[in-house]
Amino acid sequence: MSFTTRPELSGRFGMVASTHWLASGAGMGALERGGNAFDAAVVAGFVLQVVEPHLNGPGGDMPLLGWDAAGERPFVVCGQGVSPARASVGLLRDELGLDAVPGTGLLAACVPGAFDGWLLLLLERGTLPLREALGPAIEYASGGYPVLPGMRATIDGVADRFRDAWPSSAELWLDHGRAPAAGSRWSSPALAGTFRRLVTEAERATGDRDGQLEHARAAWRAGWIAEALVGFSAGFAALDSSGRRHRGLLSEADLSGWRATVEAPVTLEYRGVTVCKTGPWGQGPVQLQQLALLAGVDLAQLPPADRIHRIVEGAKLCFADREAFYGDSAEPPPLDALLSPAYAAERRGLIGDGASLRLRPGSPGGAAPRLPDGVAERPGDHAGAGEPTRGDTCHVDVADRWGNLVSATPSGGWLQASPAVPGLGFCLGTRAQMFWLQEGLPSSLVGGVRPRTTLSPSLALRDGEGWLAYGTPGGDQQDQWSLLLLLGVVDLGLNLQEAIDAPAFHSTHFPSSFFPRAAQPGRMEIEGRGRDALLAALRGRGHDVVDTGPWSLGRLSAVSRSADGVLRAGANPRGMQGYAVGR
């Protein structure tokens, strides 16, 4: 038996795994009270907004993949809001004189989607009333929760900005002018008040459960929350990462005209498993492209250096296609061609013995790749110090005794990215930073469209039934780290915890999705764990290998359900906060 940091859990009642033990516990509590996996995910999701405020918030985003056992089908919930109708390349580049959407402040705010996404899931597939769904989050926001070391470090890093330029954030997150101490008890009374008011007013409006959920959703579209968000966005000129002050672009019409949606996933068959991902408004299909490249290779028989080389070189090709084709701004990407066996075979042939230092998108179905000016020729020119992106996200996976599965990756609305909205206890997101300020690209800044995010939950089916829900925070690394988990289980025969604990690696070869679009051609980061010969072999192939330390990459979690009804779960030990619970 391989050594693991903790056991792979197994049972038949329910499993919850997430990036914070309090969220996992709250989700399990929902299952114990008779709720299903969808209820548990919603409860855990709202708790994550409270206890990991530097990683997600009510004003952020929430894509989700689920398996509905009753309906026997997978589905996607798109809780990713759109850009303001006024947003355009011309406005930001020509009128405001910007060459990139700022990574912080109010100008990068899109319509917040997380809250509506969670309530849509609860309305259509859950059973809990609004009060019970928000109850644990209200309890932690009002009664307090422990400050994570990462939360403390994040606040400390922006304390000067809070004090000097964002007074509403200083009021919420500074303790006598300083970041709260790690491990201390911290509360979020303003957010607790917002959640309580939503519950109170919904119950006052109607005694019907569904009506209460719709009433709370309406508050975000045209009620008191919408008024506060639009008023603050338009009225406060926030200092942002451009070094200047800008007001936001959100309008009442932007909020009133948007709703979370349910759609079908994009899928690919891989070694008897159907892998499900979001559409190309996120980066999800890039994992499917990587799997298509690997389908023709017996990974289990390759020496470790050969296996890692092939995975990394495949990632470079697939993420180049992501840059050239994915987005919501232009005509739909040629997904059928991108995922076709013929295209995978063509691209597989480009992987040689040495590391490539070029960004090489393909031409699926004859489609011409569209890259931002200069990126293909000089990918390294975009390097720089930008927003931290490897931890600013959460993840939760749930399995219940009825066979339902959920994988969700909430993010955005980070406390450090945008000034807090007075009276609400949270801030808007900055997801528009992922648009390009160049016309004619798949992810150009256009009003009323979704930014092409990195948020990428994952779901896999086996024999036509829900089998595995998995994912991780990590920006551009999400579909590299979660790919390793799937390959570990499917190709290498590892259990969930073994796959999570296995040494991780990823490429930073291609432009980052975040301001200011850093790229490091040929760079590979890996948890060395004393494997000096392996690292030397990879360097011998031309990879720029960086050993990041033994337990430094990824925040994976996963749950599964086997054909005999046994549920399993595993969670990440790195950072000492992710946890799986179940029975």
Side-chain angles (χ1 to χ4, degrees), residues 287 290 319 389-391 470-487 499-500 503-507 525-527 548 552-556:
Q287 185 176 135
Q290 292 176 89
F319 278 85
T389 61
R390 291 188 188 172
Y470 61 106
T472 177
D476 295 294
Q477 285 71 47
Q478 287 182 33
D479 278 302
Q480 298 187 71
W481 293 336
S482 59
L483 174 75
L484 298 182
L485 184 148
L486 184 66
L487 297 178
I500 290 168
F505 57 88
H506 65 264
S507 171
E525 299 187 356
I526 187 168
E527 294 177 331
T548 59
S552 54
L553 301 179
R555 295 176 64 202
L556 286 158

Side-chain angles (χ1 to χ4, degrees), residues 8 60 70 88 117 119 131 161 199 205 362 394 399 417 451 523 545 556:
E8 179 192 57
S88 70
L119 284 206
R131 177 175 291 277
R161 184 193 304 165
V199 173
C394 305
R523 176 71 57 87
V545 178
L556 286 158

Side-chain angles (χ1 to χ4, degrees), residues 152-166 170 173-174 177-179:
R152 191 265 175 200
T154 297
I155 296 174
D156 188 57
V158 293
D160 288 344
R161 184 193 304 165
F162 286 3
R163 287 188 292 262
D164 298 340
W166 295 359
W173 302 112
L174 296 185
R178 303 172 64 88

